Each structure stands twice: as C-alpha cells, then as structure tokens.
C-alpha cells in the first residue's frame, strides 16, 4: 500500500537500497548472534577449563579470555559477512590477501609487536598475574596481560597500562619471585658511638619481629667507613613475600630501631653530620669610629 501511494522517486530509492538494507540486516544478525553466544557460553567455559588446569598460573587464564574475545570478534564478523551473502567473496584468495595487507599497513608494526610481546609474556612461567615486578620506569603488581598492554597496579593503588613491548624490551626484576625475600636496611652512626653495641641492637631488633625468619638468621655488618659517619647494614629474611606488605615491614623495623637506639643512648648520625671542637676568640681592637653631624 505504501509502495503504491509513494512517489516514483521514493519507490526507486527503496528499490535501490533494499538489497543493501537486507544485507546489512543479515550481517548484523549473524555478527550479534555469534558474538553473544560466544561471550555468554564459549569464553566463560573455556576460561574455566584453562583456570582449573593452570591454578598456579592465572596469567594463562587472563590471556585466554582476552585472546578468545579477539578471535570471537573476528569470527563474528566473518559469520556476518557470510550471512549477508558475501561468502563467495571471502573464498577469493586475492581479496583475503589484499585485506590482510591493508590491515597490516593500518595497524603498523607497533600493534603486532605488542601482540607478539604479550604472547611471550603469557608463555613465560616466571611472569604471572599477581607478581610484583620492577622495570625501567616503574614498578607494581601485574593485574592482567591484554592484547596490546599489561595492566599494572602501582604502589599508590593506581593502575597503569604498560605496552607489552616495553616489558619485553627492558630488564624485568621480580624481587618477590621466590618463597623468601631478603630485606636490607642501612643505618648511619657517628664515629663517637659504640659500633659493636649498635650492631647488636640492630640484630636483636630484627630477631624480635615475628615476620622475620629464624633461618637464615638476621645478620649485621659494617658496610662503609664514610667521611662523616659509619654505615651499618642489617639483613633479615621474610617468608611469603607476596602475602606481606614489605613497605610496612621496613617502616616498622625503622621505627623500632629508632626507639631502641634512643633507649640505649645510641645516636643515628645525619648523612652530612660534622663534629666541630675548639673555641672562638673575639678581640676588640678599638672602637669603631663614628661620623659627626651638623
């Protein structure tokens, strides 16, 4: 009824765009259907299976979910194209090669470099979600390895996205990568202090902490004889470093050392402390002349 009462130009317009609308409709139906089913059924199921088989490596589970979603988008697009009637076009190898070349040129080497770097990070058994890492330019806890970046939680509870290429191109340090971790603290004392007494108090302060391991036992040493002060070093080990707040342990140790040194009459020297002795004599060689006035 609408087609009969419409003007001729409108009927021609609808006739011309009718196939395009139908193709767009079926493309949308195919894409949305496959993507929705994949996100609701496939991705969660595969992620659960991978997680159950890799309980000690949450990085693989995180990466599996990320890469599955990317593959799902690609498959959903292909399904939409087939549903729209472009299946024969996709069978043309020349078209596929041209499309791949176009995508490669648009994406550039940086994106593909990040993708490959992310795969290497996922495959590295010493790089896992939950690990504390340090690299050139930052430090923090790994939260997830994504398609192009790795999400890291910083010490001040912020989140940064670090390009995967930056992590693979620089030296990564995992200070808490084993079952125990050595904490090293340095204290400066003056040359007029009893060094042996200070070393003893440092060791006993470390031994009194419940978080400090008894074996290997804490130890102290004279690290340096500086121009202004003696540098003492205390070393002690803690277990389960990933489950402990290293910053808090260091802070508590320093507080106890300061309190204990005050009780024992030991003085912590400032880095630039100077001890001066002697006397100053002021001589009055005469009165300062004054100028007269009118």
């Amino acid at each position: 009824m609408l087609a009969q009462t419409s003007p001729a130009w409108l009927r021609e317009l609808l006739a011309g765009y009718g196939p395009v609308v139908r193709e767009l409709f079926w493309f949308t139906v195919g894409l949305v259907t496959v993507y929705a089913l994949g996100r609701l059924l496939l991705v969660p199921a595969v992620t659960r299976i991978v997680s159950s088989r890799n309980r000690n490596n949450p990085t693989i589970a995180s990466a599996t979910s990320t890469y599955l979603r990317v593959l799902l988008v690609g498959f959903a697009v292909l399904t939409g194209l087939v549903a729209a009637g472009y299946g024969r076009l996709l069978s043309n190898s020349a078209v596929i090669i041209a499309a791949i070349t176009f995508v490669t040129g648009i994406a550039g080497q940086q994106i593909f470099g990040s993708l490959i770097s992310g795969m290497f990070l996922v495959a590295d058994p010493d790089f896992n979600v939950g690990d504390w890492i340090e690299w050139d330019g930052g430090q923090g806890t790994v939260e997830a390895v994504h398609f192009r970046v790795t999400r890291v939680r910083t010490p001040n509870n912020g989140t940064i996205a670090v390009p995967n290429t930056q992590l693979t191109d620089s030296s990564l340090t995992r200070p808490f990568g084993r079952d125990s971790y050595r904490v090293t603290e340095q204290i400066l004392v003056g040359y007029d202090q009893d060094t042996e007494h200070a070393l003893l108090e440092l060791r006993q302060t470390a031994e009194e902490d419940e978080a400090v391991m008894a074996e290997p036992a804490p130890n102290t040493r004279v690290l340096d004889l500086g121009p202004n002060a003696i540098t003492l070093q205390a070393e002690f080990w803690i277990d389960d470093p990933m489950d402990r707040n290293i910053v808090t342990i260091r802070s508590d140790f320093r507080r106890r050392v300061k309190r204990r040194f005050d009780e024992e009459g030991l003085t912590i020297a400032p880095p630039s402390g100077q001890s001066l002795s002697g006397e100053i004599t002021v001589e009055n060689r005469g009165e300062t002349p004054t100028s007269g006035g009118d």
Side-chain angles (χ1 to χ4, degrees):
M1 183 67 179
L2 179 60
Q4 294 177 356
T5 58
S6 300
W9 64 269
L10 182 58
R11 291 196 300 270
E12 294 178 359
L13 182 65
L14 293 175
Y17 283 96
V20 176
V21 173
R22 286 194 299 270
E23 292 171 356
L24 180 61
F25 171 78
W26 287 113
F27 172 80
T28 304
V29 170
L31 185 148
V32 172
T33 300
V34 171
Y35 184 77
L37 291 176
R39 284 300 303 269
L40 295 176
L41 301 177
L42 178 64
V43 174
V46 175
T47 303
R48 283 195 298 269
I49 294 174
V50 173
S51 299
S52 63
R53 296 184 178 182
N54 300 272
R55 298 184 182 278
N56 296 327
N57 192 351
T59 306
I60 295 181
S62 175
T64 299
S65 177
T66 299
Y67 291 123
L68 272 179
R69 289 197 297 267
V70 174
L71 293 175
L72 181 61
V73 170
F75 184 72
V77 171
L78 292 177
T79 303
L81 292 175
V82 172
Y86 291 99
R88 294 182 179 179
L89 183 62
L90 294 176
S91 64
N92 190 334
S93 60
V95 174
I96 296 177
I97 294 175
I100 294 176
T101 304
F102 175 76
V103 172
T104 303
I106 294 297
Q109 296 181 353
Q110 184 176 4
I111 294 179
F112 283 99
S114 297
L115 171 61
I116 299 301
S117 297
M119 292 180 177
F120 278 113
L121 291 175
V122 172
D124 188 353
D126 289 331
F127 185 90
N128 294 311
V129 171
D131 288 350
W132 177 280
I133 61 172
E134 298 176 359
W135 73 96
D136 296 339
Q139 59 181 349
T141 304
V142 179
E143 289 190 335
V145 181
H146 292 305
F147 192 71
R148 190 180 63 86
V149 300
T150 295
R151 191 171 68 247
V152 179
R153 187 175 70 253
T154 60
N156 58 359
N157 207 31
T159 301
I160 59 175
V162 185
N164 293 331
T165 52
Q166 183 176 348
L167 296 179
T168 54
D169 291 343
S170 61
S171 299
L172 282 179
T173 303
R174 297 180 62 235
F176 314 141
R178 298 295 181 264
D179 295 334
S180 60
Y181 175 71
R182 186 182 68 176
V183 178
T184 302
E185 289 291 328
Q186 296 179 3
I187 306 294
L188 297 176
V189 296
Y191 278 93
D192 59 339
Q193 302 297 303
D194 188 343
T195 305
E196 296 300 326
H197 187 194
L199 291 173
L200 176 63
E201 296 300 329
L202 280 177
R203 187 176 69 252
Q204 291 181 350
T205 301
E207 292 173 345
E208 293 174 355
D209 192 342
E210 296 179 355
V212 176
M213 299 175 61
E215 187 64 33
N219 65 80
T220 56
R221 66 188 68 185
V222 176
L223 189 64
D224 183 42
L225 298 176
N228 304 313
I230 302 175
T231 303
L232 308 182
Q233 179 169 288
E235 299 175 352
F236 53 89
W237 295 79
I238 60 173
D239 58 356
D240 296 329
M242 290 299 301
D243 297 330
R244 298 186 183 273
N245 191 327
I246 306 298
V247 176
T248 301
I249 291 177
R250 289 183 181 275
S251 175
D252 291 343
F253 176 77
R254 294 165 186 165
R255 291 169 54 193
R256 292 196 308 273
V257 168
K258 177 61 171 63
R259 183 169 58 249
R260 194 174 189 122
F261 273 37
D262 290 342
E263 294 173 354
E264 297 295 328
L266 296 169
T267 302
I268 299 176
S272 59
Q274 298 281 351
S275 296
L276 300 178
S277 62
E279 60 182 13
I280 298 177
T281 302
V282 179
E283 297 182 0
N284 187 358
R285 296 182 178 275
E287 295 181 358
T288 303
T290 58
S291 60
D294 295 336

